[in-house]
Amino acid sequence: MSNAPSSPTGPVNRLAETTSPYLRQHAHNPVDWWPWCEEALALARETDRPILLSIGYSACHWCHVMAHESFEDPGTAELMNRLFVNIKVDREERPDLDKIYQTAHQLLAQRPGGWPLTVFLMPDDQKPFFAGTYFPREPRHGLPAFKQLMQGVERAYREQKTAIESQNESLMAALAELEPHASDALPERSAIDAALQQLDTSFDPEHGGFGDAPKFPHPTNLDLLLRHATDAPQTGAPDRSALAKAVWTLERMVRGGLTDQLGGGFYRYSVDALWMIPHFEKMLYDNGPLLALCCDAFAVTEDPVFRDAAVMTADWVLREMQSPEGGYWSSLDADSEGEEGKFYVWDREEIRALLAPAEYAPFAAVYRLDRPANCEGRWHLHGYRTPEAVAVDLGLEPARVQALLAAARATLYVARERRVRPGRDEKVLTAWNALMIKGLARAARTFDRPDYLESAEQALAFIRGTLWREGRLLATYKDGTAHLNAYLDDYANLLDALLELLQTRWSRADLDFALALAEVLLDQFEDPIGGGFWFTGRDHETLIHRTKPLGDEAIPSGNGVAALALERLGHLVGEPRYLAAAERTLKLAAESIRRMPYAHATLLFALDEWLDPPETLVIRAGDERLDAWRREAQRGYRPRRFVLGIPADESHLPGTLAAMAPGERPRIYRCSGTRCEPPTESLADVVKPTS
């Protein structure tokens, strides 16, 4: 299913032997590509040739463009092979390299990076001395031709080594200066208010979202608004403004072009401010958090638009993204047949011919097929109007309009399935799987869907059976090969996913696995002196820089997720080491949070729960009331309540759970942080009605 930009015939290079679908896309290039490995680095040193490092990923549109224009061109390849040692990296398999060289690009180029990332490295120590992103075959848009660039860079390496070495010293000092430094104090609670104020300032009241185009979904920021809006323990009243911002933004994303209106799932981002035309790739790491967010929005509002979006997203994952072995695949490409979005867009007359007149009328009204085409002469489905408003105009009952729209979408979906499908990146990444396991566990609990729980459990079983070896995680799997030491994001997100699954159903094996992951986090990743967690483990390959990333990026901050999960697990089992590690992480992040609060939403969740620990309910029962009470305790949106239902016959529990013994009748233990109340045998004593 992978989209292969290069010819499938002819000789192959070393990338054919890798596990990455992205690297394999370049296996037939005339470029003498290497994967990142010690042999390639040694060759650069021995031949005194700079390294041309190219980083991308399989669903990346401009990566494909540069491959077609340059890497498949024999003349360009000849120049690359003669002047450089050429290394191709999949940023999804090697986020450690990507984080380092993206940051270096920002420092060298003084502008944000992206993919494809093109970096030229010194052959002796892999320090970067020139960086850019996409370069065209011919000069255009103010960019030099790639051939001209390479010749200029190689000449500079030969003639200006002293200046480059001086620049490298400054670059390494700048990289070190960017790393956070520990504070003696925790961040103030006011940092949460500051983040909310920043979001308020940049909020788009007309279309939802923050800032102008392009617009990214940023589920952690919406989660921050939703938590604050419904909880607000310090203010004593819900923040209706924050709730409105979160719900309106998510609704515009769900009804608009950011969502696949026929097949489910969210695209990567919107190129416009209206959430209309997306960058069409679908990434697993977006859809896991957005699935959980839709579940939460439904729990708060009971608006079926969020239920339907969650169900369509979950169904898409089960149908298209879960491998027969159980793990979830990584992404669907933006392109098919060499054209971005071709699989998803429509001709109006094609839609008219496929639908019955009774179906076409409301469908055309909702998606405004009477307007000019919105996507280069064709129509990408974007909900301009609500079904309820269209029902009024057509004089139909809303339920009738919904039924006609559902029938129309089903017909168009079947027709679309006959098209050439986008490529699928069929590698399994541990961190991304964890995000989807969490999302599906939340959906299983919210909508009482055992099939979603079964899917999440299958993915977890795959990780445990394939990517957990000798007490350590591996980062990636493809075609029978699991390899690469896992990163902070893998451990933190999997720990977080296990805690979510434990709230959906009890599993002693999952609790033990969570404790094992927590121990590796402390042993391999934590800095017990400076605080926080390194992105790579202690025994990881030595690179030019070792990072402690704090801000949320495309996925939640590994430091934030680790701190939050360790707080919850530490309170659950009474383990002070976990709590101390979380506290040190928050102190490390204090200055970074102060400078840019809204960029650290996940760490702000951890700060909030550190300052005001959430409620933990442990239910012990030996009959059907165990699940019934657990469900009742979880009813509604309860982000500050952690509920565990443990069967009465489960014994030898770890830590403070061992003291929470069952009784002759169902029993509930209620704790807040390190303080626990006497057990009660009345559910009403601890569960108040949803407000």
Side-chain angles (χ1 to χ4, degrees):
M1 292 290 297
S2 293
N3 182 28
S6 57
S7 169
T9 60
V12 297
N13 56 45
R14 300 171 190 85
L15 301 186
E17 303 302 317
T18 65
T19 61
S20 163
Y22 171 66
L23 299 191
R24 290 183 185 180
Q25 288 172 2
H26 297 79
H28 293 272
N29 292 169
V31 178
D32 186 22
W33 286 117
W34 289 85
W36 183 277
C37 61
E38 179 51 42
E39 189 177 359
L41 303 182
L43 178 66
R45 291 192 295 268
E46 292 162 5
T47 59
D48 191 29
R49 282 184 288 164
I51 293 168
L52 194 168
L53 176 65
S54 176
I55 303 179
Y57 60 102
S58 68
C60 167
H61 172 73
W62 286 102
C63 298
H64 299 334
V65 173
M66 191 165 178
H68 285 303
E69 290 182 344
S70 295
F71 303 148
E72 295 172 11
D73 176 59
T76 303
E78 188 278 329
L79 200 60
M80 292 173 68
N81 295 339
R82 178 161 48 86
L83 300 181
F84 303 101
V85 172
N86 303 289
I87 297 180
K88 176 63 77 172
V89 164
D90 182 341
R91 67 106 173 176
E92 296 169 357
E93 286 194 342
R94 294 299 305 262
D96 53 338
L97 293 169
D98 186 55
K99 286 180 184 295
I100 290 170
Y101 291 112
Q102 288 286 354
T103 304
H105 171 275
Q106 292 183 357
L107 292 170
L108 290 169
Q110 294 297 299
R111 60 178 179 271
W115 302 276
L117 182 66
T118 307
V119 192
F120 295 88
L121 314 182
M122 298 293 281
D124 55 340
D125 56 12
Q126 299 91 57
K127 292 175 182 174
F129 64 94
F130 186 87
T133 52
Y134 162 79
F135 291 100
R137 178 169 23 202
E138 305 296 337
R140 64 174 182 267
H141 305 309
L143 294 171
F146 189 48
K147 285 183 180 179
Q148 294 173 334
L149 176 79
M150 288 191 292
Q151 291 169 324
V153 166
E154 199 275 341
R155 185 164 51 250
Y157 171 72
R158 299 293 170 198
E159 298 175 1
Q160 303 176 38
K161 277 190 177 181
T162 301
I164 289 174
E165 289 170 356
S166 176
Q167 173 188 278
N168 285 349
E169 289 182 11
S170 299
L171 176 70
M172 296 308 296
L175 284 173
E177 186 61 30
L178 286 176
E179 286 303 300
H181 302 285
S183 169
D184 292 333
L186 289 164
E188 300 288 337
R189 177 172 286 281
S190 59
I192 300 174
D193 296 327
L196 294 166
Q197 181 59 45
Q198 287 180 321
L199 293 176
D200 182 70
T201 300
S202 62
F203 179 66
D204 177 352
E206 184 176 2
H207 305 295
F210 306 94
D212 203 349
K215 280 185 176 175
F216 290 81
H218 294 306
T220 52
N221 284 338
L222 297 180
D223 195 5
L224 180 66
L225 288 168
L226 207 58
R227 287 178 183 228
H228 173 77
T230 56
D231 178 37
Q234 305 305 309
T235 63
D239 185 337
R240 298 300 178 188
S241 174
L243 178 61
K245 292 183 182 70
V247 169
W248 177 239
T249 297
L250 187 58
E251 181 179 346
R252 295 315 306 149
M253 287 169 16
V254 164
R255 292 192 189 277
L258 193 74
T259 297
D260 181 351
Q261 299 293 329
L262 302 182
F266 292 85
Y267 304 110
R268 180 69 193 96
Y269 64 88
S270 173
V271 301
D272 56 72
L274 283 68
W275 303 106
M276 183 188 296
I277 305 301
H279 199 25
F280 282 91
E281 69 258 42
K282 292 184 187 177
M283 313 299 295
L284 193 71
Y285 64 72
D286 288 318
N287 281 276
L290 286 168
L291 170 57
L293 190 65
C294 286
C295 294
D296 291 345
F298 176 75
V300 173
T301 67
E302 298 186 353
D303 188 332
V305 72
F306 300 123
R307 176 200 62 208
D308 295 346
V311 169
M312 284 186 69
T313 300
D315 288 350
W316 164 71
V317 172
L318 271 60
R319 185 179 65 246
E320 297 188 29
M321 300 304 289
Q322 189 156 30
S323 73
E325 297 166 288
Y328 299 118
W329 290 315
S330 295
S331 63
L332 295 183
D333 207 330
D335 301 2
S336 57
E337 301 181 83
E339 183 179 328
E340 183 175 7
K342 185 174 183 179
F343 181 75
Y344 300 103
V345 298
W346 293 86
D347 292 321
R348 180 169 53 198
E349 295 310 312
E350 181 184 8
I351 294 176
R352 193 193 304 272
L354 286 165
L355 300 183
E359 296 168 345
Y360 181 81
F363 191 87
V366 168
Y367 296 108
R368 297 303 301 269
L369 300 183
D370 58 334
R371 292 171 60 104
N374 62 2
C375 192
E376 298 182 354
R378 306 186 78 191
W379 279 262
H380 174 58
L381 298 181
H382 170 80
Y384 292 84
R385 304 187 66 203
T386 67
E388 294 76 16
V390 169
V392 172
D393 286 354
L394 297 179
L396 298 173
E397 290 295 323
R400 174 62 176 158
V401 169
Q402 292 285 10
L404 290 170
L405 289 171
R409 286 192 293 262
T411 298
L412 295 178
Y413 174 79
V414 171
R416 195 179 75 176
E417 283 297 286
R418 294 192 286 268
R419 299 176 178 177
V420 176
R421 296 184 58 81
R424 181 169 58 202
D425 187 323
E426 294 182 352
K427 67 176 178 290
V428 175
L429 296 170
T430 301
W432 297 13
N433 269 246
L435 291 169
M436 185 52 70
I437 289 169
K438 179 179 180 177
L440 281 166
R442 185 82 56 84
R445 195 163 70 244
T446 302
F447 304 114
D448 192 20
R449 288 288 298 263
D451 54 334
Y452 296 165
L453 176 59
E454 181 182 4
S455 172
E457 289 181 319
Q458 288 174 353
L460 178 61
F462 177 81
I463 291 174
R464 289 205 66 171
T466 308
L467 291 155
W468 176 249
R469 296 184 182 174
E470 299 179 356
R472 296 291 296 278
L473 280 173
L474 297 173
T476 184
Y477 169 89
K478 177 76 167 62
D479 294 338
T481 300
H483 69 128
L484 298 178
N485 291 338
Y487 309 100
L488 169 62
D489 290 352
D490 299 296
Y491 285 92
N493 283 295
L494 189 55
L495 172 56
D496 189 44
L498 286 166
L499 294 177
E500 190 72 31
L501 272 171
L502 283 166
Q503 293 193 82
T504 306
R505 88 290 179 263
W506 169 253
S507 167
R508 175 58 188 272
D510 284 0
L511 179 60
D512 290 343
F513 193 17
L515 293 167
L517 292 174
E519 291 300 325
V520 180
L521 271 173
L522 267 58
D523 179 61
Q524 281 288 326
F525 292 87
E526 198 213 357
D527 179 355
I529 306 300
F533 295 87
W534 303 105
F535 188 72
T536 54
R538 299 188 193 286
D539 56 3
H540 194 79
E541 171 190 1
T542 301
L543 302 173
I544 66 167
H545 187 60
R546 195 179 182 202
T547 62
K548 288 183 189 174
L550 297 175
D552 295 321
E553 297 176 352
I555 67 174
S557 156
N559 267 281
V561 176
L564 184 63
L566 288 170
E567 284 175 17
R568 292 186 167 187
L569 186 61
H571 285 136
L572 184 66
V573 300
E575 177 48 75
R577 293 181 300 121
Y578 302 165
L579 300 176
E583 183 181 25
R584 286 190 290 267
T585 302
L586 290 170
K587 288 181 176 179
L588 173 73
E591 178 60 24
S592 185
I593 289 173
R594 186 191 64 79
R595 287 197 305 267
M596 197 177 295
Y598 79 98
H600 299 81
T602 307
L603 277 160
L604 293 179
F605 303 153
L607 173 64
D608 181 47
E609 294 197 5
W610 180 267
L611 298 174
D612 185 16
E615 175 186 43
T616 299
L617 300 181
V618 176
I619 305 169
R620 302 298 308 268
D623 54 29
E624 69 281 355
R625 284 175 287 185
L626 180 67
D627 282 339
W629 285 20
R630 177 185 56 76
R631 288 191 181 97
E632 184 61 30
Q634 293 168 334
R635 190 178 302 279
Y637 177 61
R638 301 288 188 182
R640 298 181 59 78
R641 175 180 288 171
F642 186 90
V643 182
L644 216 55
I646 304 179
D649 59 1
E650 187 73 67
S651 59
H652 305 293
L653 290 166
T656 52
L657 285 176
M660 298 181 183
E664 295 182 3
R665 294 167 51 83
R667 180 177 288 180
I668 304 176
Y669 293 84
R670 182 182 186 182
C671 302
S672 177
T674 57
R675 179 182 60 82
C676 293
E677 300 172 1
T680 178
E681 295 181 347
S682 170
L683 182 65
D685 286 348
V686 295
V687 177
K688 305 296 188 292
T690 304
S691 58

